[in-house]
Amino acid sequence: MIEYFKSDARLLSPLYEFEPGCWVNLVRPTSEEITHVLATTGVEEDFLRAALDPEESSRVELEEDQTLLIVDIPTLEESNVEQDESKIFGTLPMGIIVLPNTVITVCLQDTTVLRGIAQNKVRDIHTAMRTRFVLQILLRVAGLFLRNLRMIERDFTKIERRLYDSLKNEELIQLLGLSKSLVYFSASLKGNEVTMEKMLRGRILKLYEDDRDLLEDALIEIRQAIEMAGIYSSILAGTMDAYASVVSNNLNIIMKVLTVITIIMTIPNMIFGFYGMNITGDALPFAAWWWVPVVISIGGCIGAWIYMKRKDLL
């Protein structure tokens, strides 16, 4: 998909074809769309295809008058969207290519970062002011990381409420999914931080004073997200250790109760086993009264239960 937007009176308006000073947004482009953009903008083909590799890491690359920025953005795996308490977050590279007359964004998914800009949810967007426009995108990327980290924290709280009373694997699997998401976020955030620090030096894009303030704001949010991801990872690791201890303790309690029940139930088996032996005459005491073994069995069970209760075995 190819979209063209250009700012007009501080609002973005869609275009039908490329114009100098516009913003070109590519979402999972086809080979024909890539060829068309290469012909109309003169962008380097390697730059255009770089962000289409899902394993591409955050980096900066310069080629004459063209600049490629690749930053990681958070995504939510579609297979787990319907399960409110088992969301798995990941990251995806997004390419931002700055040309002398346009800005091109390339991504494999239609993200909320760019869709919000396209729908005029961000004020003071000027596509002709290429550096400021790029920094506004980076600021929204940092904000999206923070929002998704808060979503992870809420999901963790929901799981924790019913965590310690459960012996099932479901909660553990959900915690592992959140832990995996935090690992992805931490790695991507650190890569984005390095990329933004390179931009802050002013050697990649020319920064004016207002642009520098905007980039510093984005860096602050990225560092805050890195700190939050580290804190959540530590809390999650401690909770999973506690969860393992609780599961083991609950299992020990169940095994103890079953052992006590087995011991108590052994008493009637032993007594009825004696009286059930094929012995003639009056070799067994009280063999003539059928209720005597029953009374002895009940008394033995009650006595064993009282003894174990006093020894705190129940």
Side-chain angles (χ1 to χ4, degrees):
M1 178 180 69
I2 304 178
E3 295 178 304
Y4 303 99
F5 298 94
K6 192 171 185 179
S7 57
D8 181 16
R10 296 188 177 183
L11 293 177
L12 284 181
S13 301
L15 302 175
Y16 294 103
E17 58 184 12
F18 173 79
E19 292 183 7
C22 74
W23 162 37
V24 182
N25 182 33
L26 296 176
V27 179
R28 196 180 290 274
T30 62
S31 299
E32 293 77 10
E33 291 172 339
I34 291 176
T35 302
H36 176 71
V37 172
L38 290 174
T40 55
T41 64
V43 63
E44 291 284 339
E45 183 175 0
D46 292 341
F47 283 7
L48 203 59
R49 296 185 181 275
L52 300 179
D53 181 5
E55 304 299 327
E56 193 73 37
S57 58
S58 180
R59 60 186 176 89
V60 181
E61 189 173 340
L62 301 176
E63 184 68 31
E64 296 181 355
D65 57 352
Q66 300 184 14
T67 303
L68 170 65
L69 301 173
I70 294 183
V71 293
D72 289 331
I73 58 175
T75 60
L76 182 61
E77 291 189 5
E78 295 180 356
S79 58
N80 293 287
V81 171
E82 300 298 330
Q83 303 177 14
D84 292 339
E85 295 185 357
S86 60
K87 297 185 182 71
I88 298 180
F89 295 87
T91 58
L92 197 66
M94 178 180 68
I96 306 174
I97 307 171
V98 184
L99 304 180
N101 60 348
T102 189
V103 174
I104 303 174
T105 55
V106 189
C107 193
L108 289 172
Q109 292 183 11
D110 191 10
T111 67
T112 57
V113 173
L114 301 177
R115 188 50 50 194
I117 296 176
Q119 294 175 352
N120 287 299
K121 295 181 180 179
V122 182
R123 296 181 298 176
D124 297 331
I125 293 293
H126 300 279
T127 56
M129 301 173 65
R130 293 171 290 115
T131 300
R132 175 174 289 271
F133 181 53
V134 170
L135 297 180
Q136 287 173 322
I137 293 175
L138 296 179
L139 187 60
R140 283 186 59 82
V141 170
L144 184 59
F145 268 110
L146 288 174
R147 288 195 298 273
N148 284 0
L149 283 170
R150 295 187 185 101
M151 290 176 62
I152 290 177
E153 194 273 336
R154 287 196 297 268
D155 290 346
F156 169 70
T157 301
K158 291 179 183 178
I159 299 172
E160 191 178 23
R161 289 174 183 171
R162 54 185 174 84
L163 181 63
Y164 298 110
D165 295 327
S166 175
L167 290 176
K168 298 180 180 179
N169 292 328
E170 180 182 357
E171 288 78 14
L172 183 60
I173 293 173
Q174 292 173 358
L175 289 179
L176 287 174
L178 295 180
S179 178
K180 180 181 177 182
S181 301
L182 289 172
V183 170
Y184 287 151
F185 276 18
S186 296
S188 297
L189 285 167
K190 290 177 182 178
N192 288 352
E193 181 188 23
V194 173
T195 299
M196 291 183 186
E197 286 177 346
K198 290 180 180 179
M199 293 179 61
L200 192 60
R201 301 189 186 107
R203 299 176 182 176
I204 299 172
L205 295 174
K206 184 178 180 180
L207 298 176
Y208 298 95
E209 190 63 30
D210 292 341
D211 297 335
R212 187 174 296 274
D213 292 340
L214 194 60
L215 181 56
E216 288 176 351
D217 291 341
L219 261 174
I220 290 173
E221 291 200 6
I222 286 291
R223 288 166 180 164
Q224 181 182 356
I226 292 174
E227 185 176 356
M228 288 175 61
I231 292 173
Y232 292 161
S233 295
S234 300
I235 295 174
L236 190 58
T239 302
M240 292 180 66
D241 292 340
Y243 175 78
S245 299
V246 169
V247 170
S248 178
N249 186 54
N250 289 344
L251 184 60
N252 291 336
I253 293 173
I254 292 175
M255 295 302 297
K256 182 178 71 172
V257 172
L258 292 176
T259 302
V260 170
I261 293 174
T262 302
I263 293 173
I264 293 176
M265 294 303 296
T266 302
I267 297 174
N269 290 333
M270 293 174 59
I271 295 173
F272 285 111
F274 285 128
Y275 279 89
M277 291 187 295
N278 188 14
I279 299 177
T280 59
D282 297 331
L284 292 175
F286 310 108
W289 295 290
W290 63 269
W291 51 268
V292 172
V294 176
V295 173
I296 295 175
S297 299
I298 294 175
C301 292
I302 295 175
W305 183 85
I306 293 174
Y307 174 80
M308 293 182 182
K309 188 71 173 177
R310 289 180 177 177
K311 295 295 184 179
D312 198 23
L313 296 176
L314 290 174

